[in-house]
Amino acid sequence: MSKIGFIGLGIMGRPMAGHLLDAGHTLSTVKRGTLDETLASKGMQELDNPKAVAEASEIIITMVPDTPDVEEVLFGEGGVIEGLKPGTLVIDMSSIAPIATQGFAKRITDAGGEYVDAPVSGGEGGAINAALTIMVGATEEGFTRALPILEVMGKTITRIGGHGAGQTCKVANQIVVALTIEAVAEGLLFASKAGADVAKVRESLLGGLAQSKILDVHGERMIKRTFDPGFKIKLHQKDLNLALEGARSLDLALPGTANAQQLFQACAAQGGADWDHAGILRALESLADHEVGSR
């Protein structure tokens, strides 16, 4: 069993940390308000800052919102790098910029650590059920060391390539997810405006070529109008910004991605930055002057 520092106990991080505790690992985190009662009852310890967490750990896992957050945790004042011991494994499971990830990996490696980027897909449900898809960028040695830990939290774990490759894969994932959510929203909106029973439309589509996990999970969210996250629109906006910035650097056009980003922005303008990303439906409903399920 390992001494693990887990920094970032949000919607995804809390259940992920819980699985590690259940597996017998010793966990510590940075004190941020009141610790979740479930994690506290399982023995998770709170320390003053990331430096202290690093000093107490053999493995560090970060699960924070954005690139600057990872940089602050690792390299800011009182950051992980100040307490990093030789051979410490640093696993970043956040979704951040691939190029910045390569720089972070070099700094951790130069300081004597081993860096793994391991962003995840599967949402809150995947985190709760330890069924996440994990996309890994690492050396072969780093992947081998990280795999037993990742297997506690995920189901499909793939080494994509070297440092930054996991984050590149996650950006691609977020493009596909955004466009598929938009497609489901448009299909259900069309069916509803045409007078069809959208619940039956979804049921039928799930039996054909259009079936997908997004149609299953987010299609139900749209019909039931349950837009509590989940995965927040503002976080998907962040991921699509990474995609569009990367596309510019590659001289690549991603018109569908740009359109999805604009619809997310329309949601944010309506006060919906914290809605689940299935809430993209609301932007389309505003354009149609029609709400799914209404007559």
Side-chain angles (χ1 to χ4, degrees):
M1 296 298 102
S2 299
K3 295 180 180 178
I4 300 174
F6 198 111
I7 301 173
L9 300 175
I11 290 174
M12 303 284 285
R14 283 194 302 272
M16 292 164 68
H19 294 312
L20 292 168
L21 287 163
D22 290 341
H25 298 288
T26 301
L27 263 66
S28 61
T29 190
V30 177
K31 185 174 178 59
R32 291 282 187 272
T34 302
L35 182 63
D36 179 273
E37 289 183 8
T38 300
L39 297 180
S41 69
K42 293 179 179 181
M44 189 169 215
Q45 300 295 310
E46 293 182 297
L47 301 173
D48 289 338
N49 53 37
K51 175 185 176 181
V53 171
E55 289 171 340
S57 305
E58 304 162 299
I59 299 170
I60 305 291
I61 296 174
T62 52
M63 187 62 175
V64 295
D66 204 348
T67 308
D69 302 303
V70 176
E71 184 171 23
E72 178 64 22
V73 166
L74 295 181
F75 308 113
E77 184 178 353
V80 164
I81 201 165
E82 294 182 12
L84 194 73
K85 301 188 294 290
T88 298
L89 180 63
V90 177
I91 307 173
D92 177 37
M93 304 189 77
S94 319
S95 296
I96 67 170
I99 293 175
T101 292
Q102 292 173 355
F104 297 166
K106 185 178 187 306
R107 292 174 70 178
I108 292 295
T109 301
D110 288 347
E114 180 78 52
Y115 193 91
V116 172
D117 53 284
V120 305
S121 180
E124 183 181 11
I128 290 171
N129 295 316
L132 293 168
T133 293
I134 305 177
M135 302 153 250
V136 182
T139 64
E140 290 187 7
E141 180 183 352
F143 180 66
T144 299
R145 288 184 61 193
L147 186 57
I149 299 299
L150 300 180
E151 286 176 333
V152 175
M153 299 174 283
K155 185 175 181 181
T156 302
I157 304 164
T158 307
R159 178 177 178 259
I160 308 300
H163 295 134
Q167 296 295 353
T168 296
C169 184
K170 179 57 188 290
V171 171
N173 178 84
Q174 295 303 81
I175 292 171
V176 173
V177 169
L179 270 63
T180 307
I181 290 176
E182 181 187 352
V184 169
E186 289 191 13
L188 295 181
L189 182 61
F190 170 81
S192 179
K193 189 71 181 280
D197 183 326
V198 289
K200 290 183 177 178
V201 168
R202 171 180 165 273
E203 181 182 347
S204 179
L205 294 179
L206 284 170
L209 189 60
Q211 71 85 23
S212 68
K213 187 171 183 179
I214 287 172
L215 176 61
D216 184 11
V217 175
H218 292 299
E220 184 177 37
R221 278 181 177 270
M222 293 172 190
I223 293 168
K224 292 184 176 179
R225 311 196 68 75
T226 52
F227 298 118
D228 295 334
F231 186 75
K232 294 180 180 180
I233 280 175
K234 65 184 179 183
L235 295 178
H236 211 145
Q237 284 184 286
K238 177 261 298 181
D239 292 338
L240 294 191
N241 281 337
L242 296 176
L244 294 169
E245 290 166 4
R248 280 192 292 272
S249 70
L250 294 168
D251 291 326
L252 178 65
L254 298 176
T257 302
N259 187 58
Q261 182 72 306
Q262 287 299 305
L263 290 169
F264 281 141
Q265 184 56 39
C267 292
Q270 297 175 42
D274 288 329
W275 295 342
D276 184 85
H277 50 177
I280 198 171
L281 172 69
R282 288 183 168 181
L284 293 165
E285 288 176 331
S286 295
L287 293 171
D289 192 26
H290 177 84
E291 186 175 290
V292 163
S294 64
R295 289 286 185 266

